[in-house]
Amino acid sequence: MELAGKNIVITGAGSGIGRAMAYAFKAEGAAHITVADLNEAGARETAAHIGGTALQVDVTKEDEIANLVRVAEAAGGPIDLFCSNAGVIDLDSDFDNAASAPDAIWQRALAVHVMAHVYAARILLPKMMARKSGYFLNTVSAAGLLSQIGSATYSTSKHAAIGFGESLAIASKDHGIGVSLLCPQAVATPLAGTGDFHGGADVDGVISADACAKAAVEGLRAEKFIILPHPAVLGYMQAKTANYDRWIGGMVKLRRRIAEAGAEFLAEQAKKRAT
């Protein structure tokens, strides 16, 4: 998919990966970009930089996504590319208990990482099917392909996002509709936090949001289903499916190292606060 001349929507574009994609897509010649975010100020800042449209949107509410579609169509015509990029992350309440997060945290993760994608597809598919064209780019995470130590809600919801993306791609291909899933590891964004401890997601380094956006552009051009800004993830996926038990064992060892590093990190932060 070439981005030049396209009408694009990006959620979660008030900062981070979404903002970087907005800048990158504009540089590729996108005709119009509608920027959505729960943070209205951030959305306006991004939109002002690219001459786009800004809208405050809660992606967990289907009616707000429907309104986003209406606004984007009024501004630029039929939507060529919808980027469902908004995300949240919460750590497990108890690092040793993967079921420890309260229901509200589970529900929010599933609403943002799964149902927001469903709502966008539910609203746009009839339009795209009628004209035999359109594209969905869903930002998921390497956590959806592998796991996220310390956040069962994030890992589980991202796995579900992979499942929905697969179903969407399989059902939509014959209607001329494309689907890509952007699956980075650690990216330097507000969502990832500003500290030096990344809970193991930085095992292959922390890339910039701009680098992630560049990978998205290249992946869309090649129409890849899974876009991996961190290429090493492919090897981890292959190792996981080749020997699941061995992979679990390796993840247990990684978790131990993370627990030790986390304890050291927290102790260092406490020391800094004390001084």
Side-chain angles (χ1 to χ4, degrees):
M1 180 188 189
E2 294 297 334
L3 297 167
K6 298 299 192 293
N7 185 25
I8 300 172
V9 177
I10 310 173
T11 68
S15 63
I17 295 172
R19 173 174 286 179
M21 288 198 298
Y23 292 176
F25 294 174
K26 184 64 176 180
E28 289 291 314
H32 189 81
I33 301 175
T34 301
V35 175
D37 203 290
L38 193 58
N39 178 351
E40 185 176 9
R44 289 187 179 280
E45 184 178 343
T46 301
H49 186 85
I50 60 171
T53 300
L55 193 67
Q56 182 179 38
V57 175
D58 181 346
V59 299
T60 68
K61 298 179 179 178
E62 187 172 6
D63 62 337
E64 294 199 18
I65 294 181
N67 183 58
L68 169 62
V69 169
R70 286 191 292 270
V71 169
E73 289 176 336
I79 295 170
D80 299 296
L81 171 63
F82 191 98
C83 304
S84 192
N85 171 74
V88 294
I89 186 166
D90 294 281
L91 299 180
D92 295 332
S93 301
D94 179 349
F95 188 71
D96 293 319
N97 183 348
S100 59
D103 286 357
I105 298 300
W106 281 98
Q107 290 162 359
R108 184 173 78 141
L110 291 166
V112 174
H113 298 153
V114 184
M115 293 311 300
H117 299 184
V118 174
Y119 296 151
R122 182 182 291 164
I123 294 161
L124 284 170
L125 276 173
K127 300 170 183 283
M128 291 181 174
M129 290 170 69
R131 64 177 193 266
K132 296 290 184 181
S133 69
Y135 212 105
F136 294 95
L137 173 65
N138 295 345
T139 300
V140 186
S141 169
L145 302 167
L146 303 169
S147 191
Q148 177 66 51
I149 292 169
S151 181
T153 55
Y154 190 78
S155 179
T156 302
S157 59
K158 291 298 189 177
H159 274 70
I162 294 286
F164 177 69
E166 290 173 349
S167 295
L168 183 61
I170 292 166
S172 301
K173 183 72 171 179
D174 287 343
H175 295 284
I177 299 165
V179 178
S180 291
L181 306 184
L182 181 63
C183 298
Q185 288 181 293
V187 181
T189 69
L191 182 66
T194 57
D196 297 321
F197 180 63
H198 296 273
D202 58 342
V203 64
D204 294 304
V206 181
I207 65 172
S208 68
D210 289 342
C212 190
K214 180 180 178 182
V217 169
E218 294 171 351
L220 285 167
R221 182 169 291 125
E223 297 191 358
K224 290 184 178 181
F225 176 63
I226 295 290
I227 301 173
L228 299 175
H230 293 80
V233 171
L234 178 59
Y236 301 147
M237 291 168 61
Q238 293 169 337
K240 179 180 179 178
T241 56
N243 190 328
Y244 229 123
D245 292 324
R246 181 176 181 180
W247 179 81
I248 290 289
M251 292 297 286
V252 169
K253 292 177 182 177
L254 177 60
R255 178 190 173 280
R256 290 171 186 155
R257 292 201 297 272
I258 289 170
E260 293 172 0
E264 293 174 2
F265 175 77
L266 292 173
E268 183 65 25
Q269 292 301 301
K271 185 183 297 183
K272 289 179 180 178
R273 288 194 296 271
T275 57

